[in-house]
Amino acid sequence: MATMRAAVYTTFSGPIIVQEVPKPTAPVGGLLLRVKACGVCRSDYHGWKGLDSDIVTHGLPFTPGHELSGVVVKLGLGTTKFQVGDRVAVPFILSCGSCRQCARNRPTICEAQGQPGFTMPGGFAEFVAVPRADRNVSLMPPKVSFLQAAALGCRLTTAYRAVMQQGRLQSGETVGVFGCGGLGLSAVMIALAAGDNVRVLAVDTSEEACNKALELGAWHAFNAKEGDEYIRARVAEVTGGFGADLTLDTAGFAATCENAVWCTRRGGRPWEPKSLAEVSDEKPEQYTVCL
Ligand SMILES: [Zn+2]
Ligand SMILES: [Zn+2]
């Protein structure tokens, strides 16, 4: 049997060991990918700790990794959009295309989604079997590197949904990003690219993360190690007591969530029936998007 190297854990919170495992084959409707890059996400940590029900259901041993890009090495039966040698990026949610949510064009909440690195072996391996390729996998433009593409499938798409679709950031607005890891820094970049005169207030406990946010163009970066009151006072100070128009909790801690709410200005978005219809089940009136 052909084998490959993969990073595997056999107990939750246990050692992650690179070892030889059976090499997967190209699934029907999918493709076999030689992995070129795979990001590390906090969800990988949660999964490794045993906190992800999909990984628990899948069972151990397990190979994580859901932010991947690579080269197509084999096509499964019925896959039509790709050729061997194509450079591709894989989203971490492989939607089915036939459930009620997919019919509503909401593939990221597909009722029968597959997820490399959660419901099936992931990208910390030489090869990954990717089902449902025609529907979910994207060809990479030549100028995009594998490393860049690996960041697109989870952190950047999650941040995009928060900033643009849920948050509906407008030109001239101020957005507070609470947590500047991969997700938060993606939100910083998207916010700054999204409109004219958007100002980003970045918050993190890491000086390095704060500096990275500033490097990307954040207006101010505040170190949360100074305490909640400091963060709230500084946001109030730089916004003239108004608060940020939109705040994002991109870390998922009680402190980031509470500070985000505290630092949001009074008032609401203009009523937008069309947008509301599109996101009607996701409380579009709320300003704070807790991810
Ligand atoms: Zn992720
Ligand atoms: Zn579906």
Side-chain angles (χ1 to χ4, degrees):
M1 184 193 290
T3 62
M4 66 169 183
R5 287 186 308 149
V8 178
Y9 54 84
T10 52
T11 55
F12 289 120
S13 304
I16 302 171
I17 297 169
V18 176
Q19 60 189 60
E20 290 289 324
V21 300
K23 181 182 170 183
T25 54
V28 172
L31 47 82
L32 185 66
L33 194 70
R34 175 184 283 280
V35 179
K36 300 294 279 186
C38 187
V40 180
C41 176
R42 193 169 180 85
S43 300
D44 293 317
Y45 169 79
H46 292 147
W48 172 72
K49 294 291 282 183
L51 302 175
D52 186 278
S53 59
D54 287 328
I55 296 177
V56 171
T57 302
H58 176 280
L60 302 176
F62 192 70
T63 295
H66 60 277
E67 300 190 338
L68 60 152
S69 62
V71 176
V72 176
V73 291
K74 207 166 178 37
L75 299 175
L77 203 64
T79 306
T80 59
K81 275 195 191 167
F82 300 97
Q83 297 178 345
V84 170
D86 280 347
R87 302 162 75 249
V88 296
V90 180
F92 82 95
I93 294 173
L94 304 174
S95 62
C96 75
S98 54
C99 74
R100 290 169 298 182
Q101 296 296 352
C102 284
R104 295 175 66 221
N105 198 25
R106 301 297 307 278
T108 57
I109 51 173
C110 168
E111 293 169 2
Q113 58 189 261
Q115 301 175 350
F118 296 106
T119 65
M120 62 187 85
F124 296 129
E126 287 182 281
F127 299 92
V128 170
V130 183
R132 300 171 177 173
D134 283 349
R135 176 175 171 76
N136 294 287
V137 174
S138 297
L139 274 175
M140 289 165 50
K143 282 184 181 171
V144 175
S145 72
F146 288 111
L147 211 56
Q148 290 168 329
L152 298 178
C154 174
R155 65 188 72 183
L156 212 94
T157 50
T158 304
Y160 182 85
R161 176 147 180 82
V163 173
M164 303 304 295
Q165 295 178 327
Q166 289 285 75
R168 286 176 282 147
L169 184 66
Q170 312 285 313
S171 290
E173 288 192 326
T174 300
V175 53
V177 178
F178 293 76
C180 291
L183 186 56
L185 291 173
S186 297
V188 171
M189 288 188 281
I190 290 166
L192 290 169
D196 297 328
N197 303 315
V198 167
R199 294 183 298 189
V200 174
L201 302 172
V203 179
D204 202 282
T205 52
S206 154
E207 199 62 37
E208 196 185 351
C210 287
N211 288 336
K212 190 69 189 172
L214 289 171
E215 201 181 296
L216 291 171
W219 184 33
H220 292 285
F222 304 130
N223 195 320
K225 277 194 175 152
E226 301 287 335
D228 294 345
E229 294 308 319
Y230 170 83
I231 297 301
R232 295 169 190 182
R234 290 305 314 274
V235 172
E237 179 192 333
V238 300
T239 58
F242 198 59
D245 297 291
L246 171 70
T247 60
L248 309 175
D249 170 13
T250 48
F253 296 107
T256 46
C257 188
E258 286 174 13
N259 282 333
V261 173
W262 266 94
C263 294
T264 307
R265 72 163 166 84
R266 292 187 184 202
R269 294 282 191 216
W271 188 251
E272 297 175 28
K274 185 162 177 282
S275 300
L276 185 70
E278 286 167 1
V279 292
S280 59
D281 56 346
E282 299 197 11
K283 300 180 185 168
E285 73 280 9
Q286 74 183 21
Y287 268 92
T288 303
V289 181
C290 296
L291 299 170

